[in-house]
Amino acid sequence: MTRLSLRYDDTNMRSAAVGKTGVSPREWSAMLPRLRAARNAVQKLARMKEQGFMDLPFERKTNAVCTKLAKQLSRSFTDLVVLGIGGSDLGARALQQALAPVDEHKKGTMRLHFAGSSTDPDELSRLLKRLNMKKTCVNVISKSGDTLETMAAFLVFRDRILKSVGPGRMPSHIVATTDEESGSLNELARKERYELLPVPMNVGGRFSVLSSVGLFPAAAIGIDTTLLLQGAKSFVEGFHECTPNECMSTRYAGLHVIGMERRDQRIHVTMPYATRLAWFAHWVRQLVAESLGKQTSRKGKTIHAGPTPVNAVGPEDQHSQMQLYNEGPFDKLITFIEVKRFNGDIRTPAAGTMGNAIARFGSRSFQDLIHLERRATAESLCRNMRPNATLTMDRIDARAMGELIMFWEIAVALMGELTDVNAYNQPGVELSKRIMREAFT
Ligand code: PA5
């Protein structure tokens, strides 16, 4: 079986650890046939090419195009601004925070900025003031090609670039990432001759981080996108090889769906103990909410289904949300993400001479402290009968991030099958987009 860096410890989700709030052996056995069926359905969608997100790690050509273009542009530009929102934005932000080299803007890379996920004018003017348009390249990302926030920001950037370098050179400052065949942005990119990076038709926004949507910005800051894809590929191969009891995504999906169905545990918390994964937890929140929160079942029955995803960060939220998690309603399932080895460690100096309570914090490794904090939090939750699980990654590197991304995408796809919703559409989001569009007519 494919060896993965990721491990999923669900001991504390089970009744043996947390009592009646956890999943009993009988409930788990009853779930197994449903999990097999869900897995078959997800595999079938991939085989029939109805959903393409599991194919992305095998797409070597897209990766080669993105890395080559990023390298080429970094010779002329110092800054890259990504304009996108939702699934066209969060994945790249998560990758930047997790994996950007410490010496950002080393040779062959660009500084990465994000705009387009808000219409807050203060944010945008602050960024515009900092940039030299002659040295700035824009990556406008929109699968549909007509999203208000992204396109409004794009109009501003296009105009600034035009004024700064003139119409002849303006197109060389723009990379458009959009639907491979149609849409307003696709049309404009062809008309004005921008570099065009296609998003496959069968990959939706929130499942697109491993397409050119995430790969190009990642490559532009020097992330090893080949390793990222290798990690995701290993995870997909493992998913096809293993049984529901062995597969991490399958166990996550099964345990969360049992919690929702039998105990109303509908608040699903993702809590990394690593600040570099805070944006990743944001990405998970969008993936879960937009995929699983639905008014109707696939047959059209009104169900108003879906978990509420919440993100937290340890240890910060031990002094905030943890009070609620430990003592509030029994409606939460918590998933920690633990990083075994951080890139560097820091030790506190010996403090014995202080002779008071502070002295006990002397001669400690920060890495040990953060692990101790996560373990203590998990233990406190167990004592209060609050189910929790831990995903452990050896370190935060590109390969492990690829695994982590695929872990969640597959888990959410399985949960869509188990809860009988279409995990790949977003009519609720489209409705507000439509109302906004109507305001302009
Ligand atoms: O996941 C999704 O489909 C959405 O979050 C979209 O990514 C978001 O609405 C932006 O859409 P677009 O890429 O078409 O501009």
Side-chain angles (χ1 to χ4, degrees):
M1 183 148 338
T2 319
R3 205 193 108 55
L4 298 170
S5 129
L6 208 59
R7 287 174 298 287
Y8 180 57
D9 181 354
D10 61 31
T11 314
N12 296 345
M13 295 285 280
R14 312 245 175 195
S15 56
V18 288
K20 62 181 193 307
T21 58
V23 172
S24 70
R26 182 184 289 191
E27 286 169 332
W28 184 245
S29 304
M31 175 51 89
L32 287 174
R34 288 177 66 192
L35 282 175
R36 272 183 221 109
R39 188 185 63 168
N40 292 345
V42 169
Q43 287 172 329
K44 188 169 169 206
L45 286 177
R47 236 185 1 260
M48 307 295 283
K49 303 285 175 211
E50 282 179 42
Q51 288 306 323
F53 73 93
M54 283 199 286
D55 290 334
L56 295 176
F58 300 84
E59 282 277 329
R60 281 201 295 230
K61 194 170 150 225
T62 307
N63 187 32
V65 169
C66 289
T67 26
K68 191 171 161 210
L69 182 62
K71 214 168 252 153
Q72 185 190 314
L73 292 174
S74 71
R75 287 190 209 113
S76 317
F77 302 111
T78 53
D79 294 82
L80 173 69
V81 184
V82 165
L83 305 176
I85 193 165
S88 294
D89 165 75
L90 288 164
R93 282 192 198 253
L95 291 177
Q96 181 192 32
Q97 190 186 41
L99 299 174
V102 183
D103 50 345
E104 231 183 302
H105 193 41
K106 61 178 186 189
K107 202 168 171 297
T109 69
M110 292 176 269
R111 281 184 291 262
L112 182 58
H113 313 270
F114 292 88
S117 66
S118 172
T119 36
D120 176 341
D122 288 350
E123 267 306 288
L124 189 57
S125 33
R126 240 194 266 182
L127 176 62
L128 287 168
K129 269 189 202 129
R130 276 165 42 209
L131 295 170
N132 170 1
M133 284 301 154
K134 290 194 170 46
K135 302 295 264 171
T136 299
C137 174
V138 165
N139 179 204
V140 51
I141 309 180
S142 176
K143 173 122 197 261
S144 62
D146 61 3
T147 299
L148 164 72
E149 298 84 351
T150 307
M151 288 306 147
F154 175 62
L155 288 178
V156 172
F157 275 93
R158 182 183 169 281
D159 185 56
R160 298 281 173 124
I161 293 169
L162 194 63
K163 286 186 176 133
S164 166
V165 301
R169 289 179 52 204
M170 181 266 285
S172 66
H173 285 241
I174 298 172
V175 177
T177 307
T178 189
D179 188 275
E180 58 191 343
E181 285 186 2
S182 59
S184 318
L185 181 57
N186 181 301
E187 271 168 35
L188 184 70
R190 289 180 196 278
K191 186 167 153 228
E192 297 202 337
R193 295 175 183 282
Y194 310 150
E195 281 290 346
L196 192 109
L197 295 174
V199 187
M201 283 209 302
N202 62 357
V203 176
R206 57 195 171 276
F207 288 90
S208 69
V209 53
L210 299 176
S211 74
S212 51
V213 170
L215 293 180
F216 174 68
I221 50 171
I223 291 173
D224 189 335
T225 49
T226 305
L227 273 186
L228 180 75
L229 292 180
Q230 270 173 19
K233 180 168 167 269
S234 303
F235 198 91
V236 172
E237 286 166 350
F239 169 64
H240 291 311
E241 284 166 19
C242 64
T243 65
N245 253 332
E246 292 162 345
C247 175
M248 294 185 268
S249 298
T250 319
R251 279 189 282 135
Y252 176 98
L255 290 165
H256 281 72
V257 169
I258 295 173
M260 290 203 288
E261 288 177 351
R262 301 192 58 101
R263 297 181 189 83
D264 239 354
Q265 291 159 330
R266 290 178 188 279
I267 297 186
H268 297 175
V269 181
T270 306
M271 186 168 178
Y273 269 74
T275 312
R276 281 165 65 199
L277 296 177
W279 269 105
F280 180 77
H282 267 297
W283 174 85
V284 171
R285 184 177 70 163
Q286 191 230 359
L287 180 72
V288 171
E290 222 170 317
S291 304
L292 302 176
K294 298 288 152 74
Q295 178 173 313
T296 56
S297 73
R298 283 176 297 189
K299 287 214 175 81
K301 190 171 158 225
T302 302
I303 51 173
H304 298 291
T308 299
V310 168
N311 45 335
V313 179
E316 186 183 321
D317 282 309
Q318 278 176 222
H319 301 262
S320 160
Q321 299 193 51
M322 199 45 66
Q323 170 60 32
L324 172 72
Y325 299 171
N326 253 321
E327 295 191 355
F330 287 86
D331 54 2
K332 296 173 196 65
L333 298 173
I334 294 155
T335 304
F336 298 115
I337 309 177
E338 174 189 60
V339 177
K340 237 173 148 200
R341 269 165 301 155
F342 287 79
N343 283 351
D345 197 8
I346 292 180
R347 283 190 83 78
T348 58
T353 51
M354 286 183 180
N356 63 12
I358 299 171
R360 65 176 178 236
F361 303 128
S363 307
R364 306 270 179 187
S365 126
F366 266 65
Q367 183 166 273
D368 291 349
L369 289 177
I370 200 165
H371 289 150
L372 170 73
E373 296 203 77
R374 195 206 57 76
R375 282 198 305 272
T377 305
E379 171 65 25
S380 72
L381 288 168
C382 286
R383 287 190 199 177
N384 281 312
M385 297 171 65
R386 313 292 168 144
N388 61 92
T390 303
L391 269 167
T392 302
M393 54 207 292
D394 285 337
R395 22 173 101 249
I396 305 178
D397 58 21
R399 184 187 286 273
M401 285 307 292
E403 292 180 20
L404 198 60
I405 286 167
M406 205 39 87
F407 164 87
W408 246 292
E409 289 187 347
I410 294 178
V412 165
L414 291 165
M415 286 175 76
E417 295 298 328
L418 293 167
T419 57
D420 192 22
V421 297
N422 179 348
Y424 310 100
N425 65 5
Q426 54 285 325
V429 169
E430 300 302 338
L431 176 61
S432 70
K433 279 190 181 180
R434 211 172 60 230
I435 295 170
M436 284 191 291
R437 238 179 270 134
E438 280 162 14
F440 292 105
T441 54

